[in-house]
Amino acid sequence: MIIDEVRAFPIHAAPRPATPPRIPRREDAPPMVSPMRRYPDLLPDWRGRWTDLACVITARDGTWGFGFGSFSPPAVSIINDHLGPLITGQSCMATEKLFDVMQRATAHYGTSGLASYAISAVDMALWDLKGKVLQRPVYELLGGPQKSSIPCYASATGHDYGLESTIEWFLELGFKAVKVFFRHGPSDDMDGLRRNEELVATARELIGGERELMVDAWMSFDVEYVVRLSEALKPYRIKWFEDSLRPDDLGSYSRLRQRIPHQILATGEHWYSIPPFAFAAANGLIDIFQPDIRWVGGISAVLRICHLAEGHGQSVLPHGGMNYPYGQHLSFAMPAVAWGERSEGVSPPGVPLAEMVKLPGTAVIENGELVPSDAPGFGLEITREWLEERAA
């Protein structure tokens, strides 16, 4: 089946829940730690005002696939002005070839970063289209179900409703584990270190001793700070320490591995394409790879990362993998993936998870487990009318 058109455009796909939270939102909620914490005068707008993007790839017979990306308008321009014209006229079934084409074609201006976001959206749309043409769910195209369901954990990115109420709601929803994000970093000195430990101690008390607890520093620490904090957190039996350093600082990850060999380390949501994962695997830098399917290069990239991890005895936990059907289908099929993460705020206390879905047709976690849609492609129930309504 020949690709007839590739079109990307900005989109607002925020959920529109009908159920109000059962408790009021806090106005004094502490912000999550960030790489920019040392410059408080530049918060909270330092990440820019870009929106999500939609990528629609239409085959000659009118069948179309949908990819959902980030960082519009620059990623939209990369798709519409470069990648789209490049692959138009090619077979939509040739996902391996087209992924390789896009990787090579962006090399002269950098396959990482914005180019990777654009490649991801195109690749996901291609897999969706491929599944629709073949009338099979994508997870079958990836090898079929490897597990009966995906056990899920919840990431408490925000404290807008208080840590206690948030974790209690997660447990009520049946999540198997919880991840918390630190609120303080190296610029907060010893007081910040103490507050971070108190946060983890509180979380451990709330979830009890039978569930796993993970922590996330979101690219905001340095080696010294991680070493000190990791030692302080030993009594709370942390499953893994995530995203502790700047993603491009692989040398520091090597030093950190040597300093705290006891601690399970996870990262990779801000690594792009295959090389950083290959380097980390070959040099034993981390234990768990966490690529984001919408950022790293799409399904085609994470497939390669999963096989790479298996070859080195490591695991893969896609960043935000349960937020969208793309990660759901891949996780369902891959032996390297044991758990699924639900992030992006998950759900305010009392608001059903079904009302927090961004893309119609996305499967919903039930009692801490998820089974993807078995409809063709990714099972999305998106119409062209919905796209027109949500277009930015």
Side-chain angles (χ1 to χ4, degrees):
M1 190 69 67
I2 299 302
I3 297 170
D4 196 53
E5 181 186 47
V6 179
R7 183 169 69 95
F9 51 91
I11 190 172
H12 293 301
R16 300 175 180 176
T19 304
R22 62 189 179 196
I23 60 174
R25 184 174 184 170
R26 289 180 51 182
E27 298 298 328
D28 62 341
M32 186 175 76
V33 71
S34 83
M36 289 286 285
R37 187 170 180 83
R38 65 169 62 175
Y39 303 111
D41 56 313
L42 298 178
L43 298 174
D45 295 328
W46 67 274
R47 286 195 284 180
R49 301 180 183 274
W50 294 332
T51 65
D52 290 322
L53 69 87
C55 179
V56 176
I57 300 182
T58 307
R60 192 152 292 172
D61 69 346
T63 308
W64 55 280
F66 178 84
F68 186 55
S70 303
F71 293 107
S72 171
V76 164
S77 177
I78 293 172
I79 295 172
N80 288 342
D81 299 334
H82 185 201
L83 300 180
L86 193 65
I87 68 171
T88 298
Q90 298 289 313
S91 169
C92 70
M93 310 300 286
T95 46
E96 287 289 307
K97 172 186 175 181
L98 297 180
F99 177 74
D100 189 48
V101 165
M102 292 189 290
Q103 293 282 305
R104 292 172 180 274
T106 53
H108 64 294
Y109 56 82
T111 299
S112 296
L114 291 172
S116 188
Y117 291 101
I119 291 170
S120 301
V122 174
D123 184 81
M124 290 183 290
L126 285 168
W127 278 96
D128 189 39
L129 176 56
K130 188 175 184 177
K132 289 176 178 176
V133 169
L134 296 174
Q135 285 295 293
R136 307 309 305 167
V138 169
Y139 65 74
E140 287 194 3
L141 307 184
L142 300 176
Q146 179 268 331
K147 49 186 75 73
S148 59
S149 63
I150 307 165
C152 304
Y153 66 94
S155 289
T157 50
H159 292 178
D160 293 348
Y161 299 92
L163 181 64
E164 182 175 352
S165 296
T166 296
I167 290 182
E168 287 177 353
W169 175 236
F170 290 168
L171 300 184
E172 184 178 332
L173 288 171
F175 282 104
K176 310 303 183 186
V178 173
K179 185 177 72 176
V180 296
F181 286 70
F182 295 114
R183 264 46 194 168
H184 302 276
S187 61
D188 297 311
D189 303 320
M190 282 296 295
D191 183 61
L193 197 73
R194 176 182 60 80
R195 289 175 181 270
N196 280 335
E197 182 181 355
E198 289 176 351
L199 171 74
V200 175
T202 300
R204 171 52 75 191
E205 183 177 359
L206 290 169
I207 70 170
E210 300 305 313
R211 290 183 178 86
E212 295 284 14
L213 176 64
M214 297 79 76
V215 296
D216 196 319
W218 206 54
M219 312 176 286
S220 303
F221 294 171
D222 55 34
V223 172
E224 176 190 347
Y225 196 87
V226 178
V227 171
R228 297 182 70 185
L229 185 55
S230 178
E231 290 294 326
L233 298 183
K234 278 185 176 180
Y236 311 107
R237 293 180 292 114
I238 301 304
K239 172 66 172 174
W240 70 71
F241 203 126
E242 180 174 332
D243 238 11
S244 53
L245 308 170
R246 289 277 298 278
D248 51 353
D249 190 0
L250 298 181
S252 287
Y253 269 105
S254 178
R255 293 193 297 276
L256 184 64
R257 176 78 290 166
Q258 297 170 14
R259 296 287 300 277
I260 50 172
H262 68 277
Q263 180 66 65
I264 298 173
L265 299 176
T267 197
E269 69 182 76
H270 294 287
W271 285 350
Y272 305 107
S273 193
I274 318 304
F277 295 93
F279 182 87
N283 291 277
L285 301 190
I286 60 172
D287 305 287
I288 301 171
F289 292 155
Q290 296 178 308
D292 190 301
I293 293 177
R294 296 173 61 227
W295 304 346
V296 73
I299 294 288
S300 297
V302 183
L303 267 176
R304 290 160 167 79
I305 293 165
C306 284
H307 296 321
L308 177 69
E310 286 187 80
H312 287 81
Q314 297 178 282
S315 60
V316 178
L317 295 175
H319 173 246
M322 299 299 100
N323 299 357
Y324 306 99
Y326 312 109
Q328 296 173 359
H329 279 247
L330 181 130
S331 299
F332 199 48
M334 289 293 104
V337 181
W339 285 5
E341 179 188 29
R342 182 62 170 90
S343 59
E344 294 187 348
V346 186
S347 165
V351 178
L353 287 174
E355 296 184 16
M356 298 304 294
V357 167
K358 280 189 176 183
L359 303 180
T362 302
V364 177
I365 297 165
E366 296 182 8
N367 195 31
E369 304 275 341
L370 186 139
V371 178
S373 168
D374 61 359
F378 290 109
L380 290 165
E381 299 169 359
I382 293 174
T383 63
R384 293 197 182 271
E385 291 73 23
W386 184 88
L387 290 173
E388 292 175 0
E389 176 192 352
R390 296 301 185 107

